[in-house]
Amino acid sequence: MQPFHRHKTGAAALFLLMLSPGAHAGLDFDFEIQPGATQEDFESVAEDVAALLNSKTLTPAEPMGLTGFGIGVYASYLETESAGAWQRVTGEDIDEIGMVGVVAQKGLPLGIDVGASYAWVPESDVEMLGAEIRYALLEGGVATPAIGLRGSYSKLDGVDEVDFDSYGIEIAISKGFGPLTPYAGVGQVWSELKPDSAFGLDKEKIDDTRFFVGLRLSALIGLTPEYERIGDRDVFNLRFGFAF
């Protein structure tokens, strides 16, 4: 199998990931740090990992309500900043990475929603566990938008040579127009990638501003494309799912 190339669009890669997530060797990696990797290379890789492996928004700002429940599948995709850095750190020439996952959310009283996610990088041992809590500052209505706060946490699993976790906070706004609900927001993401001490590399702490914009199309199955800018990385997300 041949890897994807940079001329492939984020949208095309997302659809292919969701349809057949095990079939794309160019989007996978195993995090096996190579001897001689430099701190500069590790920093570049850490920025890519932090952009991809954080808990994604994937939904508008309005609360689900006490009886609300949502479940879906999603995919995320980014082009790496430096394939050479990945080659020197992991021994693999990686110019793009994809992730697929499942996410569920439940509405609670007082405008609070909670959620959890599980995701993995195809054909690798890389897994991500995520959790979130949302609070509606303004629930929104016919003439007013919804405004909400969201806190999130994610953690890398399945890899022995590095530890990774990420915390985020954001504020978002959305307004429904029939079956369409556009949303946008801004926040901050704090991440840390810590290698095993045997490799002689220092941990990388990353503090990035995150901007995102998305659009939910509510039909028989909800479809939500989302774009996010984390630091200087572009990430494309796509969710299919149900909300009740």
Side-chain angles (χ1 to χ4, degrees), residues 34-50:
Q34 303 299 298
T38 69
Q39 192 66 42
E40 183 180 3
D41 289 333
F42 188 70
E43 180 183 7
S44 178
V45 168
E47 290 276 2
D48 291 334
V49 171

Side-chain angles (χ1 to χ4, degrees), residues 175-182:
K175 178 69 177 73
F177 302 93
L180 300 177
T181 306

Side-chain angles (χ1 to χ4, degrees), residues 98-200:
M99 178 175 72
V100 292
V102 294
V103 59
Q105 287 121 356
K106 179 68 181 73
L108 299 176
L110 305 177
I112 296 173
D113 298 339
V114 294
S117 60
Y118 168 74
W120 64 97
V121 174
E123 295 189 0
S124 80
D125 294 328
V126 177
E127 301 174 341
M128 190 272 285
L129 305 175
E132 65 177 20
I133 183 168
R134 303 169 186 257
Y135 174 66
L137 298 173
L138 183 63
E139 295 190 5
V142 175
T144 58
I147 300 175
L149 288 174
R150 175 178 177 265
S152 63
Y153 172 74
S154 63
K155 179 176 178 61
L156 180 68
D157 195 22
V159 179
D160 296 328
E161 296 187 348
V162 295
D163 293 321
F164 171 84
D165 57 11
S166 178
Y167 298 85
I169 187 169
E170 66 195 43
I171 186 168
I173 185 170
S174 65
K175 178 69 177 73
F177 302 93
L180 300 177
T181 306
Y183 63 92
V186 62
Q188 202 72 15
V189 180
W190 298 272
S191 306
E192 181 178 285
L193 188 66
K194 182 179 180 181
D196 189 290
S197 60
F199 298 102

